[in-house]
Amino acid sequence: MAMALALRSSASSFLSSSSSTTQKQAYFTSSRKSLHRFVIRSTLSDPSAALFLASKHAVDSYVKSGMVVGLGSGHASALAIHYLGQQLRAGTLKDVTGIPTCVGSASEAAKAGIPLEQYDDSYKIDLAFDEADIMEEETLAAIIGRRKLQGDDSIIKEKTILDAADQLIFIIKEKQFKGSVEGSIPVLIKSVNWLETAEEIDDLFLGDAEVWRRPAIGYAGPLGGDFPLVTKEGHNILDVIFTSPIESLAEVAKILDQIDGVVEHGVIFRKQCTAIIASEDGLQIVDNRVQMESSNL
């Protein structure tokens, strides 16, 4: 009970307290100053061309010969995978090994001719690139896992590979780079006593979010319908759908980490990373290297 009350107090403070809001805004203002930003100007009428340019920049600027590279999910990652394969075939890059985060990236990499290995703890991953569902502009915290899982896809596996990488690159569209983040956060929970976990999360974010168990097929509702999704690890997924702006993804993640029954979630934060943002005006490249260095002092 004491833990639940403490968590509820923490959730309430970051979502609604006016004094807390002032502190967070001051913190984010300070953090934003420590982000590195630069722009590559280019007039592009085709949005898909901008995303390809971002994917190409990710490979050209960050992938080096001899690297072990985590290969992410989504359309932008697929573009980067295909371009990486072209560079390997041309001899511009050599001895690059890919670690796929999902079935889709493994398939695309095989088509592109990229040598693959399955992830285990012994691998040192030099770099990983992925497409976030959405990113928090002030901190580069990101959400993954909103998309429908295919086959043996695993949010846990994808996040483990991204966390293991020395350097993390997110390739996103401008509309995915938000100063104010809304929408869902996927939360993996133990299927045993899942309803108790769901109710605790619902209580913590009461009035700010709805909690729905993700279905495998059919109707998506609070209980997951007749066929709730069970992941390859045997877990259920709760989509915690925020109906008001999330002030801090990092704070939400910390709260979720403390709840019994929560196995993992789709928030990635406090990870040194770079965002390559594609728009019709060109590319914006943002990294939080200074911010991460400061936090480790």
Side-chain angles (χ1 to χ4, degrees):
M1 178 64 74
M3 174 64 78
L5 289 173
L7 290 173
R8 186 175 293 109
S9 174
S10 178
S12 176
S13 67
F14 95 88
L15 284 165
S16 60
S17 168
S18 59
S19 61
S20 176
T21 298
T22 301
Q23 292 173 356
K24 290 292 190 304
Q25 287 174 340
Y27 167 75
F28 286 155
T29 299
S30 173
S31 297
R32 189 168 183 175
K33 289 178 181 178
S34 65
L35 297 178
H36 282 174
R37 298 169 182 263
F38 67 93
V39 175
I40 300 175
R41 295 291 183 189
S42 179
T43 302
L44 299 168
S45 58
D46 183 359
S48 63
L51 197 61
F52 172 74
L53 185 63
S55 301
K56 180 178 182 296
H57 181 82
V59 175
D60 287 342
S61 299
Y62 300 100
V63 179
K64 309 299 180 187
S65 294
M67 277 188 168
V68 176
V69 179
L71 308 175
S73 61
H75 181 53
S77 294
L79 292 173
I81 289 168
H82 280 281
Y83 181 71
L84 175 57
Q86 291 175 9
Q87 298 304 96
L88 288 170
R89 291 193 298 274
T92 307
L93 291 171
K94 298 178 180 179
D95 302 320
V96 173
T97 300
I99 307 292
T101 62
C102 65
V103 174
S105 61
S107 175
E108 296 298 334
K111 294 176 187 175
I114 300 173
L116 295 177
E117 294 287 350
Q118 292 301 314
Y119 174 74
D120 66 50
D121 294 341
S122 65
Y123 273 102
K124 179 183 182 298
I125 301 177
D126 300 291
L127 169 76
F129 57 75
D130 203 357
E131 179 177 347
D133 295 309
I134 197 164
M135 290 193 76
E136 194 172 60
E137 183 178 347
E138 293 87 350
T139 64
L140 301 190
I143 297 174
I144 64 169
R146 286 182 177 178
R147 65 183 175 82
K148 183 178 180 180
L149 300 183
Q150 304 291 332
D152 287 336
D153 284 356
S154 167
I155 295 173
I156 293 176
K157 178 182 177 180
E158 182 173 0
K159 188 172 178 181
T160 298
I161 292 172
L162 299 184
D163 283 341
D166 291 341
Q167 189 173 14
L168 177 58
I169 311 294
F170 281 114
I171 309 166
I172 58 173
K173 298 176 183 177
E174 188 176 33
K175 67 181 181 180
Q176 295 166 290
F177 195 56
K178 296 287 188 180
S180 179
V181 173
E182 297 182 11
S184 65
I185 295 175
V187 181
L188 287 91
I189 63 169
K190 296 176 182 177
S191 56
V192 177
N193 298 324
W194 75 270
L195 188 57
E196 293 180 12
T197 306
E199 288 175 343
E200 182 172 353
I201 295 172
D202 189 52
D203 287 345
L204 285 168
F205 301 115
L206 188 64
D208 294 292
E210 299 176 358
V211 179
W212 287 22
R213 186 163 62 154
R214 189 178 296 187
I217 58 174
Y219 172 73
L223 300 181
D226 295 329
F227 303 98
L229 177 66
V230 179
T231 69
K232 62 180 292 186
E233 299 90 358
H235 306 310
N236 291 147
I237 298 178
L238 299 179
D239 287 308
V240 182
I241 306 166
F242 285 84
T243 55
S244 56
I246 302 170
E247 188 175 321
S248 168
L249 283 177
E251 290 300 322
V252 172
K254 290 175 184 177
I255 291 166
L256 292 171
D257 285 338
Q258 297 178 63
I259 299 174
D260 288 339
V262 169
V263 178
E264 189 53 276
H265 50 74
V267 179
I268 297 178
F269 73 104
R270 297 191 64 79
K271 174 72 179 179
Q272 182 172 317
C273 69
T274 299
I276 304 176
I277 304 114
S279 73
E280 293 181 357
D281 297 326
L283 304 180
Q284 180 184 180
I285 295 88
V286 184
D287 76 60
N288 61 357
R289 183 173 69 250
V290 174
Q291 187 182 121
M292 293 298 100
E293 290 172 352
S294 298
S295 68
N296 290 328
L297 292 178

